[in-house]
Amino acid sequence: MNCKICKTKGIKKNAIVNLPSYNLSLCKEHFIEWFERRVQNTIKDFQMFTKEDRILVAVSGGKDSLGLWFVLNKLGYNADGIHIDLGINDYSKKSREYVEEFAKKIERKLYIVDLSTEIASISILKEKIPNKPPCSICGIIKRYYMNKISKKEGYNTLATGHNLDDEISVLFGNILNWNLDYLSKQYPILKEYENIFVRKVKPYCRITEKESALYTFLMGIKYIEQECPLSTGATSLKYKKILGDIEEQFPGTKLRFFNNFLRKFYPLLANKITEENLQRCKICNEPSSLEICAVCNIKMKLAKL
Ligand code: Q46
Ligand code: ZN
Ligand code: ZN
């Protein structure tokens, strides 16, 4: 198959990728160009941030977050990184190494939050608090520190590498359960809220996992391929598989599902969002719906054990 863009210029060049949902085959050079334009357009369409904003990218060490960190800087944005060292054995050690090495390579500032010193590693928390799924504890703690460090270090935007496949598998699950509360928060940009929450953005929300992996690979970025050993992920992986099967039969479905949710359904919910009963945690002063926030609660539980 030949590159479609090269063809318009009268050049015959082999395509390295076929994107059936766009009816497009592209060579390496034109894929990179297409990919970067797509990210740039997403940032503009959702008015995520400008070149004046200070952005912190949440980098796990995987292909999406490292690729995102790279492309934002390549596009001229002011983006530093934050990595949460979860303390999950060898997996976290390797992830951290990849992130640290990459930060040096692109010469950007990297903030590391080491959970082993801040609170306790996820491996220990999993043992000590067995009645809560480790991913739920991990999610709470990650969100807490990302928001806290962003504010403390003067960043107004937090970017994550969630891709289209991540977004639609969550969307699918939330629709199957008609989980309106979660659906009302599933938007590629969540605006900052007073001095409590920084803006949260997902510039890869219209990029598939396959496109993201290819871009990261073509840019020569080394990333951790291993999945988190605690990831059960069974449900979301099954949803991804189902949506992938539909996409194969009807190319373009994934993107249409996501775009139409944002265009047709989200506006119906957005006006219905009731402000959560937000207050400041009495111990750490971070946002919380209760007097004591979830992270301080975990710390208190640990201290009692
Ligand atoms: S939540 Fe769960 Fe992930 Fe935390 S414990 Fe691993 S799988 S890393 S996105
Ligand atoms: Zn080409
Ligand atoms: Zn607290």
Side-chain angles (χ1 to χ4, degrees):
M1 214 171 300
N2 289 328
C3 170
K4 237 183 167 171
I5 312 254
C6 283
K7 204 173 154 194
T8 60
K9 297 175 182 168
I11 305 165
K12 245 188 176 185
K13 199 167 171 191
N14 273 345
I16 59 151
V17 63
N18 180 29
L19 306 168
S21 43
Y22 303 95
N23 193 17
L24 208 55
S25 310
L26 297 170
C27 66
K28 177 179 170 183
E29 179 200 335
H30 285 123
F31 170 74
I32 293 170
E33 208 179 280
W34 173 87
F35 184 95
E36 291 170 355
R37 200 176 333 113
R38 184 123 188 96
V39 175
Q40 179 66 81
N41 287 343
T42 304
I43 294 166
K44 283 217 171 116
D45 290 348
F46 292 100
Q47 297 179 314
M48 289 182 170
F49 43 79
T50 66
K51 304 227 158 119
E52 276 66 55
D53 286 307
R54 291 195 74 213
I55 304 155
L56 204 53
V57 182
V59 272
S60 64
K63 63 181 183 322
D64 300 311
S65 56
L66 287 178
L68 175 65
W69 195 10
F70 176 84
V71 74
L72 290 188
N73 281 296
K74 191 173 176 200
L75 292 170
Y77 292 104
N78 184 3
D80 289 328
I82 177 168
H83 174 73
I84 315 274
D85 185 336
L86 304 170
I88 307 175
N89 319 326
D90 211 32
Y91 165 77
S92 292
K93 227 178 121 204
K94 273 195 206 146
S95 306
R96 182 170 171 167
E97 279 168 13
Y98 279 111
V99 177
E100 284 178 329
E101 193 185 310
F102 188 69
K104 267 191 212 145
K105 201 172 156 195
I106 60 166
E107 297 179 340
R108 293 297 319 200
K109 200 167 172 55
L110 171 68
Y111 300 88
I112 301 256
V113 179
D114 192 337
L115 290 195
S116 308
T117 51
E118 284 290 333
I119 172 165
S121 71
I122 297 295
S123 306
I124 288 182
L125 289 169
K126 181 179 170 251
E127 268 174 42
K128 303 240 167 167
I129 312 176
N131 55 342
K132 257 200 167 188
C135 285
S136 131
I137 298 177
C138 181
I140 290 170
I141 295 178
K142 279 196 287 194
R143 283 193 294 277
Y144 175 91
Y145 281 106
M146 282 172 191
N147 191 56
K148 188 176 172 176
I149 304 294
S150 303
K151 285 187 296 179
K152 184 173 164 242
E153 302 295 340
Y155 295 87
N156 63 353
T157 307
L158 180 70
T160 55
H162 294 102
N163 60 43
L164 178 67
D165 294 271
D166 298 327
E167 288 304 295
I168 58 167
S169 66
V170 173
L171 181 59
F172 192 56
N174 282 336
I175 288 179
L176 286 180
N177 294 300
W178 290 112
N179 216 332
L180 296 183
D181 193 37
Y182 285 117
L183 286 169
S184 72
K185 289 177 192 130
Q186 209 184 337
Y187 201 72
I189 166 167
L190 292 177
K191 290 200 176 122
E192 54 273 44
Y193 184 68
E194 294 175 1
N195 208 10
I196 298 180
F197 290 117
V198 291
R199 186 189 311 157
K200 296 192 187 77
V201 295
K202 298 171 182 172
Y204 268 14
C205 65
R206 299 198 295 202
I207 297 286
T208 64
E209 204 167 314
K210 182 181 144 192
E211 291 153 10
S212 161
L214 180 58
Y215 181 76
T216 304
F217 168 76
L218 292 176
M219 291 300 116
I221 300 167
K222 284 195 246 154
Y223 63 90
I224 183 146
E225 291 179 42
Q226 187 193 336
E227 289 283 327
C228 169
L230 301 185
S231 117
T232 40
T235 317
S236 83
L237 281 182
K238 276 180 193 157
Y239 289 162
K240 277 187 184 174
K241 162 99 181 53
I242 292 167
L243 291 161
D245 289 346
I246 301 176
E247 176 76 18
E248 239 188 271
Q249 294 207 39
F250 308 104
T253 302
K254 283 183 184 177
L255 202 57
R256 219 168 32 248
F257 180 44
F258 186 59
N259 283 342
N260 282 340
F261 163 72
L262 297 181
R263 202 164 58 83
K264 298 180 180 174
F265 196 69
Y266 182 81
L268 302 175
L269 295 170
N271 298 329
K272 303 269 184 297
I273 304 174
T274 49
E275 273 309 332
E276 274 177 62
N277 187 20
L278 262 187
Q279 47 186 312
R280 297 261 187 190
C281 167
K282 277 197 164 166
I283 299 174
C284 69
N285 208 34
E286 285 301 303
S288 170
S289 52
L290 301 168
E291 272 196 355
I292 309 232
C293 78
V295 170
C296 287
N297 232 313
I298 293 171
K299 282 185 182 171
M300 277 161 45
K301 254 188 209 156
L302 283 180
K304 278 187 205 152
L305 290 171

